[in-house]
Amino acid sequence: MAAREGDLEQALIMGERALEGDRQSVPSLIMTSRELAAEMRRRYGSEPAAQDYLARLHSLAEQKPGFMPR
């Protein structure tokens, strides 16, 4: 995963792509989003781009209960 390899920009690109459009495997999206969110918080919590991405995930979680853990 790009976030674990220290590539914040690529991780954000991949994360945004995963959230766009229709998704066939919702469980896969949820699992991947949770993993990426945890890594973003741990490694890049102070980076504005990571904060924006996490805010987007938080917004999705409010719209779709169960999408992200609280």
Side-chain angles (χ1 to χ4, degrees), residues 2-63:
R4 288 190 195 120
E5 295 171 357
D7 189 346
L8 174 59
E9 184 177 345
Q10 186 63 29
L12 290 169
I13 290 169
M14 293 170 66
E16 289 294 335
R17 282 184 187 160
L19 296 176
E20 293 174 359
D22 294 331
R23 181 81 173 193
Q24 296 298 316
S25 178
V26 173
S28 175
L29 173 62
I30 291 170
M31 182 184 72
T32 303
S33 295
R34 287 179 178 177
E35 287 179 23
L36 181 55
E39 199 66 20
M40 289 287 177
R41 284 186 199 100
R42 187 176 75 76
R43 295 186 81 166
Y44 308 107
S46 63
E47 294 287 335
Q51 291 172 359
D52 290 345
Y53 181 77
L54 291 169
R56 182 167 180 208
L57 288 179
H58 181 73
S59 176
L60 282 173
E62 288 183 346
Q63 295 170 21

